Amino acid sequence: GPKVLQIPSHQIIDMGQMVTLNCDPVSNHLYFYWYKQILGQQMEFLVNFYNGKVMEKSKLFKDQFSVERPDGSYFTLKIQPTALEDSAVYFCASSLDGGSNERLFFGHGTKLSVL
Amino acid sequence: DAKTTQPDSMESTEGETVHLPCSHATISGNEYIYWYRQVPLQGPEYVTHGLQQNTTNSMAFLAIASDRKSSTLILTHVSLRDAAVYHCILRGDQGGSAKLIFGEGTKLTVSS
């Protein structure tokens, strides 16, 4: 079936550095999402994105976070600068459209370790 | 989105049929009932969804009460691979971008 790919699977960086997490969504999908999951806790919605714009963001989507999808390539989550509390697994998802009858497909996540 | 209530955990044995309940007493008319499952170190996997009618696919049968205030995900002949946290999520249109909001879900344990 359709797959969402996330690259890399694990990233280790020093606090204060910039990090970019990459997501290759399902090819014809138009809506994109990022979620954050701290080990042992529930998945938390961060942001969704359509047509070059952030549609909705949660309070977890701090000013240090940004998303973009330049020229239809990877959908990226950039954190600049990183903080210790940003350590988590970040999941990307995509859907064909934004309607509630359209399922989301999730990637396997990128584990971010901020030291 | 309206809230769902699920048991924290359930146990089963390989080959059994499992009924995972979900209560959603304040569901709105335009909200779909989604089920996802997640195993450690992987992203959530879509299981099924429905609005009003019962639905079935290769993974599960979703039984929706006639008043839509509850639903049950039915897994037949469970295997060890079905062990996961199962999330029941209500999802309605929110200005054209209907996000999923995850709760704690039900942790299903399957023993051999």
PDB file of all heavy atoms in Angstrom, chain A residues 40-68:
ATOM      1  N   GLY A  40       6.729   6.456  25.731  1.00  0.00           N
ATOM      2  CA  GLY A  40       5.770   6.055  26.754  1.00  0.00           C
ATOM      3  C   GLY A  40       4.556   6.952  26.870  1.00  0.00           C
ATOM      4  O   GLY A  40       3.675   6.700  27.691  1.00  0.00           O
ATOM      5  N   GLN A  41       4.501   8.001  26.053  1.00  0.00           N
ATOM      6  CA  GLN A  41       3.376   8.927  26.118  1.00  0.00           C
ATOM      7  C   GLN A  41       2.565   8.873  24.819  1.00  0.00           C
ATOM      8  O   GLN A  41       2.940   8.209  23.863  1.00  0.00           O
ATOM      9  CB  GLN A  41       3.884  10.347  26.372  1.00  0.00           C
ATOM     10  CG  GLN A  41       4.605  10.497  27.697  1.00  0.00           C
ATOM     11  CD  GLN A  41       5.000  11.932  27.987  1.00  0.00           C
ATOM     12  OE1 GLN A  41       4.454  12.873  27.409  1.00  0.00           O
ATOM     13  NE2 GLN A  41       5.950  12.101  28.887  1.00  0.00           N
ATOM     14  N   GLN A  42       1.430   9.568  24.804  1.00  0.00           N
ATOM     15  CA  GLN A  42       0.572   9.503  23.629  1.00  0.00           C
ATOM     16  C   GLN A  42       1.075  10.430  22.528  1.00  0.00           C
ATOM     17  O   GLN A  42       1.869  11.338  22.761  1.00  0.00           O
ATOM     18  CB  GLN A  42      -0.871   9.843  24.002  1.00  0.00           C
ATOM     19  CG  GLN A  42      -1.075  11.256  24.531  1.00  0.00           C
ATOM     20  CD  GLN A  42      -2.463  11.422  25.143  1.00  0.00           C
ATOM     21  OE1 GLN A  42      -2.877  10.673  26.025  1.00  0.00           O
ATOM     22  NE2 GLN A  42      -3.188  12.415  24.675  1.00  0.00           N
ATOM     23  N   MET A  43       0.597  10.165  21.327  1.00  0.00           N
ATOM     24  CA  MET A  43       0.947  10.995  20.170  1.00  0.00           C
ATOM     25  C   MET A  43       0.303  12.364  20.322  1.00  0.00           C
ATOM     26  O   MET A  43      -0.857  12.476  20.668  1.00  0.00           O
ATOM     27  CB  MET A  43       0.373  10.364  18.902  1.00  0.00           C
ATOM     28  CG  MET A  43       1.013   9.087  18.511  1.00  0.00           C
ATOM     29  SD  MET A  43       2.230   9.338  17.255  1.00  0.00           S
ATOM     30  CE  MET A  43       1.174   9.773  15.899  1.00  0.00           C
ATOM     31  N   GLU A  44       1.068  13.406  20.003  1.00  0.00           N
ATOM     32  CA  GLU A  44       0.567  14.774  20.106  1.00  0.00           C
ATOM     33  C   GLU A  44       0.638  15.439  18.731  1.00  0.00           C
ATOM     34  O   GLU A  44       1.678  15.437  18.078  1.00  0.00           O
ATOM     35  CB  GLU A  44       1.408  15.583  21.099  1.00  0.00           C
ATOM     36  CG  GLU A  44       1.491  14.995  22.500  1.00  0.00           C
ATOM     37  CD  GLU A  44       0.287  15.322  23.355  1.00  0.00           C
ATOM     38  OE1 GLU A  44      -0.664  15.961  22.856  1.00  0.00           O
ATOM     39  OE2 GLU A  44       0.289  14.929  24.538  1.00  0.00           O
ATOM     40  N   PHE A  45      -0.467  16.031  18.318  1.00  0.00           N
ATOM     41  CA  PHE A  45      -0.507  16.766  17.052  1.00  0.00           C
ATOM     42  C   PHE A  45       0.349  18.022  17.149  1.00  0.00           C
ATOM     43  O   PHE A  45       0.295  18.750  18.149  1.00  0.00           O
ATOM     44  CB  PHE A  45      -1.958  17.132  16.730  1.00  0.00           C
ATOM     45  CG  PHE A  45      -2.126  18.121  15.617  1.00  0.00           C
ATOM     46  CD1 PHE A  45      -2.010  17.718  14.298  1.00  0.00           C
ATOM     47  CD2 PHE A  45      -2.393  19.453  15.896  1.00  0.00           C
ATOM     48  CE1 PHE A  45      -2.168  18.629  13.272  1.00  0.00           C
ATOM     49  CE2 PHE A  45      -2.557  20.374  14.875  1.00  0.00           C
ATOM     50  CZ  PHE A  45      -2.438  19.954  13.559  1.00  0.00           C
ATOM     51  N   LEU A  46       1.150  18.269  16.110  1.00  0.00           N
ATOM     52  CA  LEU A  46       1.944  19.493  16.048  1.00  0.00           C
ATOM     53  C   LEU A  46       1.358  20.485  15.050  1.00  0.00           C
ATOM     54  O   LEU A  46       1.078  21.640  15.382  1.00  0.00           O
ATOM     55  CB  LEU A  46       3.383  19.191  15.645  1.00  0.00           C
ATOM     56  CG  LEU A  46       4.296  18.545  16.673  1.00  0.00           C
ATOM     57  CD1 LEU A  46       5.659  18.257  16.045  1.00  0.00           C
ATOM     58  CD2 LEU A  46       4.454  19.430  17.895  1.00  0.00           C
ATOM     59  N   VAL A  47       1.209  20.028  13.793  1.00  0.00           N
ATOM     60  CA  VAL A  47       0.876  20.966  12.737  1.00  0.00           C
ATOM     61  C   VAL A  47       0.331  20.221  11.531  1.00  0.00           C
ATOM     62  O   VAL A  47       0.651  19.050  11.329  1.00  0.00           O
ATOM     63  CB  VAL A  47       2.150  21.767  12.341  1.00  0.00           C
ATOM     64  CG1 VAL A  47       3.182  20.831  11.714  1.00  0.00           C
ATOM     65  CG2 VAL A  47       1.854  22.943  11.449  1.00  0.00           C
ATOM     66  N   ASN A  48      -0.524  20.899  10.751  1.00  0.00           N
ATOM     67  CA  ASN A  48      -0.839  20.377   9.427  1.00  0.00           C
ATOM     68  C   ASN A  48      -0.642  21.462   8.376  1.00  0.00           C
ATOM     69  O   ASN A  48      -0.604  22.663   8.692  1.00  0.00           O
ATOM     70  CB  ASN A  48      -2.224  19.732   9.372  1.00  0.00           C
ATOM     71  CG  ASN A  48      -3.328  20.627   9.876  1.00  0.00           C
ATOM     72  OD1 ASN A  48      -3.192  21.839   9.928  1.00  0.00           O
ATOM     73  ND2 ASN A  48      -4.441  20.019  10.243  1.00  0.00           N
ATOM     74  N   PHE A  49      -0.526  21.049   7.123  1.00  0.00           N
ATOM     75  CA  PHE A  49       0.052  21.901   6.081  1.00  0.00           C
ATOM     76  C   PHE A  49      -0.600  21.571   4.769  1.00  0.00           C
ATOM     77  O   PHE A  49      -0.774  20.388   4.429  1.00  0.00           O
ATOM     78  CB  PHE A  49       1.561  21.604   6.030  1.00  0.00           C
ATOM     79  CG  PHE A  49       2.374  22.481   5.117  1.00  0.00           C
ATOM     80  CD1 PHE A  49       2.863  23.692   5.568  1.00  0.00           C
ATOM     81  CD2 PHE A  49       2.708  22.076   3.833  1.00  0.00           C
ATOM     82  CE1 PHE A  49       3.654  24.488   4.761  1.00  0.00           C
ATOM     83  CE2 PHE A  49       3.493  22.855   3.006  1.00  0.00           C
ATOM     84  CZ  PHE A  49       3.976  24.072   3.474  1.00  0.00           C
ATOM     85  N   TYR A  50      -0.991  22.597   4.026  1.00  0.00           N
ATOM     86  CA  TYR A  50      -1.624  22.377   2.728  1.00  0.00           C
ATOM     87  C   TYR A  50      -1.338  23.560   1.832  1.00  0.00           C
ATOM     88  O   TYR A  50      -1.410  24.717   2.273  1.00  0.00           O
ATOM     89  CB  TYR A  50      -3.134  22.195   2.894  1.00  0.00           C
ATOM     90  CG  TYR A  50      -3.920  22.288   1.606  1.00  0.00           C
ATOM     91  CD1 TYR A  50      -3.838  21.278   0.662  1.00  0.00           C
ATOM     92  CD2 TYR A  50      -4.724  23.396   1.341  1.00  0.00           C
ATOM     93  CE1 TYR A  50      -4.541  21.363  -0.530  1.00  0.00           C
ATOM     94  CE2 TYR A  50      -5.426  23.503   0.146  1.00  0.00           C
ATOM     95  CZ  TYR A  50      -5.339  22.479  -0.780  1.00  0.00           C
ATOM     96  OH  TYR A  50      -6.035  22.572  -1.952  1.00  0.00           O
ATOM     97  N   ASN A  51      -1.023  23.286   0.617  1.00  0.00           N
ATOM     98  CA  ASN A  51      -0.843  24.327  -0.396  1.00  0.00           C
ATOM     99  C   ASN A  51       0.140  25.403   0.064  1.00  0.00           C
ATOM    100  O   ASN A  51      -0.087  26.599  -0.134  1.00  0.00           O
ATOM    101  CB  ASN A  51      -2.213  24.950  -0.703  1.00  0.00           C
ATOM    102  CG  ASN A  51      -2.219  25.731  -2.012  1.00  0.00           C
ATOM    103  OD1 ASN A  51      -1.425  25.453  -2.906  1.00  0.00           O
ATOM    104  ND2 ASN A  51      -3.093  26.702  -2.110  1.00  0.00           N
ATOM    105  N   GLY A  52       1.203  24.947   0.686  1.00  0.00           N
ATOM    106  CA  GLY A  52       2.252  25.876   1.081  1.00  0.00           C
ATOM    107  C   GLY A  52       1.991  26.647   2.361  1.00  0.00           C
ATOM    108  O   GLY A  52       2.767  27.546   2.710  1.00  0.00           O
ATOM    109  N   LYS A  53       0.904  26.287   3.062  1.00  0.00           N
ATOM    110  CA  LYS A  53       0.576  27.062   4.255  1.00  0.00           C
ATOM    111  C   LYS A  53       0.284  26.149   5.437  1.00  0.00           C
ATOM    112  O   LYS A  53      -0.256  25.049   5.268  1.00  0.00           O
ATOM    113  CB  LYS A  53      -0.666  27.916   4.004  1.00  0.00           C
ATOM    114  CG  LYS A  53      -0.531  28.920   2.896  1.00  0.00           C
ATOM    115  CD  LYS A  53      -1.871  29.604   2.674  1.00  0.00           C
ATOM    116  CE  LYS A  53      -1.849  30.434   1.394  1.00  0.00           C
ATOM    117  NZ  LYS A  53      -3.174  30.967   1.045  1.00  0.00           N
ATOM    118  N   VAL A  54       0.590  26.640   6.624  1.00  0.00           N
ATOM    119  CA  VAL A  54       0.170  25.981   7.851  1.00  0.00           C
ATOM    120  C   VAL A  54      -1.330  26.212   8.021  1.00  0.00           C
ATOM    121  O   VAL A  54      -1.806  27.337   8.000  1.00  0.00           O
ATOM    122  CB  VAL A  54       0.938  26.546   9.063  1.00  0.00           C
ATOM    123  CG1 VAL A  54       0.319  26.037  10.360  1.00  0.00           C
ATOM    124  CG2 VAL A  54       2.407  26.169   8.996  1.00  0.00           C
ATOM    125  N   MET A  55      -2.061  25.080   8.152  1.00  0.00           N
ATOM    126  CA  MET A  55      -3.506  25.187   8.323  1.00  0.00           C
ATOM    127  C   MET A  55      -3.858  25.345   9.803  1.00  0.00           C
ATOM    128  O   MET A  55      -4.710  26.132  10.178  1.00  0.00           O
ATOM    129  CB  MET A  55      -4.186  23.937   7.771  1.00  0.00           C
ATOM    130  CG  MET A  55      -3.934  23.694   6.306  1.00  0.00           C
ATOM    131  SD  MET A  55      -4.772  24.910   5.288  1.00  0.00           S
ATOM    132  CE  MET A  55      -6.458  24.368   5.497  1.00  0.00           C
ATOM    133  N   GLU A  56      -3.197  24.547  10.612  1.00  0.00           N
ATOM    134  CA  GLU A  56      -3.487  24.561  12.043  1.00  0.00           C
ATOM    135  C   GLU A  56      -2.243  24.105  12.788  1.00  0.00           C
ATOM    136  O   GLU A  56      -1.503  23.249  12.303  1.00  0.00           O
ATOM    137  CB  GLU A  56      -4.656  23.634  12.363  1.00  0.00           C
ATOM    138  CG  GLU A  56      -5.122  23.676  13.803  1.00  0.00           C
ATOM    139  CD  GLU A  56      -6.309  22.759  14.065  1.00  0.00           C
ATOM    140  OE1 GLU A  56      -6.810  22.122  13.110  1.00  0.00           O
ATOM    141  OE2 GLU A  56      -6.755  22.685  15.224  1.00  0.00           O
ATOM    142  N   LYS A  57      -1.991  24.682  13.947  1.00  0.00           N
ATOM    143  CA  LYS A  57      -0.870  24.238  14.765  1.00  0.00           C
ATOM    144  C   LYS A  57      -1.295  24.187  16.215  1.00  0.00           C
ATOM    145  O   LYS A  57      -2.185  24.926  16.628  1.00  0.00           O
ATOM    146  CB  LYS A  57       0.341  25.143  14.580  1.00  0.00           C
ATOM    147  CG  LYS A  57       0.080  26.598  14.900  1.00  0.00           C
ATOM    148  CD  LYS A  57       1.306  27.433  14.577  1.00  0.00           C
ATOM    149  CE  LYS A  57       1.034  28.907  14.900  1.00  0.00           C
ATOM    150  NZ  LYS A  57       2.215  29.752  14.570  1.00  0.00           N
ATOM    151  N   SER A  58      -0.646  23.306  16.974  1.00  0.00           N
ATOM    152  CA  SER A  58      -0.944  23.183  18.388  1.00  0.00           C
ATOM    153  C   SER A  58       0.027  24.057  19.195  1.00  0.00           C
ATOM    154  O   SER A  58       0.979  24.620  18.645  1.00  0.00           O
ATOM    155  CB  SER A  58      -0.821  21.729  18.832  1.00  0.00           C
ATOM    156  OG  SER A  58       0.542  21.342  18.879  1.00  0.00           O
ATOM    157  N   LYS A  59      -0.213  24.093  20.490  1.00  0.00           N
ATOM    158  CA  LYS A  59       0.678  24.900  21.352  1.00  0.00           C
ATOM    159  C   LYS A  59       2.051  24.270  21.464  1.00  0.00           C
ATOM    160  O   LYS A  59       3.010  24.922  21.895  1.00  0.00           O
ATOM    161  CB  LYS A  59       0.052  25.080  22.727  1.00  0.00           C
ATOM    162  CG  LYS A  59      -0.161  23.816  23.517  1.00  0.00           C
ATOM    163  CD  LYS A  59      -0.789  24.123  24.862  1.00  0.00           C
ATOM    164  CE  LYS A  59      -0.918  22.896  25.739  1.00  0.00           C
ATOM    165  NZ  LYS A  59      -1.802  21.872  25.180  1.00  0.00           N
ATOM    166  N   LEU A  60       2.186  23.002  21.072  1.00  0.00           N
ATOM    167  CA  LEU A  60       3.508  22.352  21.072  1.00  0.00           C
ATOM    168  C   LEU A  60       4.375  22.828  19.918  1.00  0.00           C
ATOM    169  O   LEU A  60       5.590  22.629  19.941  1.00  0.00           O
ATOM    170  CB  LEU A  60       3.354  20.832  20.987  1.00  0.00           C
ATOM    171  CG  LEU A  60       2.683  20.135  22.154  1.00  0.00           C
ATOM    172  CD1 LEU A  60       2.589  18.637  21.872  1.00  0.00           C
ATOM    173  CD2 LEU A  60       3.449  20.362  23.448  1.00  0.00           C
ATOM    174  N   PHE A  61       3.753  23.432  18.918  1.00  0.00           N
ATOM    175  CA  PHE A  61       4.489  23.919  17.745  1.00  0.00           C
ATOM    176  C   PHE A  61       5.078  25.283  18.099  1.00  0.00           C
ATOM    177  O   PHE A  61       4.487  26.339  17.831  1.00  0.00           O
ATOM    178  CB  PHE A  61       3.558  24.002  16.547  1.00  0.00           C
ATOM    179  CG  PHE A  61       4.271  24.187  15.231  1.00  0.00           C
ATOM    180  CD1 PHE A  61       4.872  23.117  14.612  1.00  0.00           C
ATOM    181  CD2 PHE A  61       4.315  25.432  14.612  1.00  0.00           C
ATOM    182  CE1 PHE A  61       5.517  23.275  13.392  1.00  0.00           C
ATOM    183  CE2 PHE A  61       4.957  25.599  13.399  1.00  0.00           C
ATOM    184  CZ  PHE A  61       5.562  24.513  12.784  1.00  0.00           C
ATOM    185  N   LYS A  62       6.266  25.236  18.699  1.00  0.00           N
ATOM    186  CA  LYS A  62       6.884  26.443  19.223  1.00  0.00           C
ATOM    187  C   LYS A  62       7.403  27.330  18.087  1.00  0.00           C
ATOM    188  O   LYS A  62       7.490  26.921  16.933  1.00  0.00           O
ATOM    189  CB  LYS A  62       8.037  26.065  20.148  1.00  0.00           C
ATOM    190  CG  LYS A  62       7.658  25.115  21.276  1.00  0.00           C
ATOM    191  CD  LYS A  62       8.865  24.769  22.142  1.00  0.00           C
ATOM    192  CE  LYS A  62       9.916  24.029  21.364  1.00  0.00           C
ATOM    193  NZ  LYS A  62      11.051  23.610  22.228  1.00  0.00           N
ATOM    194  N   ASP A  63       7.779  28.541  18.458  1.00  0.00           N
ATOM    195  CA  ASP A  63       8.315  29.480  17.465  1.00  0.00           C
ATOM    196  C   ASP A  63       9.578  28.951  16.794  1.00  0.00           C
ATOM    197  O   ASP A  63       9.909  29.353  15.678  1.00  0.00           O
ATOM    198  CB  ASP A  63       8.627  30.828  18.132  1.00  0.00           C
ATOM    199  CG  ASP A  63       7.369  31.554  18.553  1.00  0.00           C
ATOM    200  OD1 ASP A  63       6.275  31.200  18.062  1.00  0.00           O
ATOM    201  OD2 ASP A  63       7.468  32.472  19.387  1.00  0.00           O
ATOM    202  N   GLN A  64      10.261  28.044  17.481  1.00  0.00           N
ATOM    203  CA  GLN A  64      11.488  27.488  16.921  1.00  0.00           C
ATOM    204  C   GLN A  64      11.222  26.453  15.831  1.00  0.00           C
ATOM    205  O   GLN A  64      12.144  25.986  15.178  1.00  0.00           O
ATOM    206  CB  GLN A  64      12.326  26.818  18.030  1.00  0.00           C
ATOM    207  CG  GLN A  64      12.830  27.766  19.097  1.00  0.00           C
ATOM    208  CD  GLN A  64      11.845  27.918  20.249  1.00  0.00           C
ATOM    209  OE1 GLN A  64      10.627  27.787  20.064  1.00  0.00           O
ATOM    210  NE2 GLN A  64      12.370  28.192  21.425  1.00  0.00           N
ATOM    211  N   PHE A  65       9.957  26.089  15.661  1.00  0.00           N
ATOM    212  CA  PHE A  65       9.586  25.077  14.677  1.00  0.00           C
ATOM    213  C   PHE A  65       9.114  25.758  13.390  1.00  0.00           C
ATOM    214  O   PHE A  65       8.472  26.818  13.432  1.00  0.00           O
ATOM    215  CB  PHE A  65       8.430  24.210  15.206  1.00  0.00           C
ATOM    216  CG  PHE A  65       8.784  23.244  16.294  1.00  0.00           C
ATOM    217  CD1 PHE A  65       9.861  23.443  17.133  1.00  0.00           C
ATOM    218  CD2 PHE A  65       8.010  22.101  16.493  1.00  0.00           C
ATOM    219  CE1 PHE A  65      10.181  22.542  18.145  1.00  0.00           C
ATOM    220  CE2 PHE A  65       8.317  21.196  17.498  1.00  0.00           C
ATOM    221  CZ  PHE A  65       9.389  21.420  18.323  1.00  0.00           C
ATOM    222  N   SER A  66       9.417  25.125  12.274  1.00  0.00           N
ATOM    223  CA  SER A  66       8.871  25.594  10.996  1.00  0.00           C
ATOM    224  C   SER A  66       8.705  24.400  10.066  1.00  0.00           C
ATOM    225  O   SER A  66       9.390  23.381  10.222  1.00  0.00           O
ATOM    226  CB  SER A  66       9.782  26.653  10.360  1.00  0.00           C
ATOM    227  OG  SER A  66      11.050  26.096  10.058  1.00  0.00           O
ATOM    228  N   VAL A  67       7.780  24.528   9.140  1.00  0.00           N
ATOM    229  CA  VAL A  67       7.535  23.458   8.175  1.00  0.00           C
ATOM    230  C   VAL A  67       7.483  24.061   6.787  1.00  0.00           C
ATOM    231  O   VAL A  67       7.107  25.219   6.593  1.00  0.00           O
ATOM    232  CB  VAL A  67       6.215  22.694   8.455  1.00  0.00           C
ATOM    233  CG1 VAL A  67       6.337  21.853   9.718  1.00  0.00           C
ATOM    234  CG2 VAL A  67       5.038  23.643   8.530  1.00  0.00           C
ATOM    235  N   GLU A  68       7.880  23.234   5.807  1.00  0.00           N
ATOM    236  CA  GLU A  68       7.754  23.653   4.427  1.00  0.00           C
ATOM    237  C   GLU A  68       7.831  22.437   3.516  1.00  0.00           C
ATOM    238  O   GLU A  68       8.243  21.348   3.936  1.00  0.00           O
ATOM    239  CB  GLU A  68       8.851  24.661   4.053  1.00  0.00           C
ATOM    240  CG  GLU A  68      10.261  24.135   4.118  1.00  0.00           C
ATOM    241  CD  GLU A  68      11.269  25.162   3.626  1.00  0.00           C
ATOM    242  OE1 GLU A  68      10.879  26.238   3.125  1.00  0.00           O
ATOM    243  OE2 GLU A  68      12.470  24.866   3.723  1.00  0.00           O
TER     244      GLU A  68
END
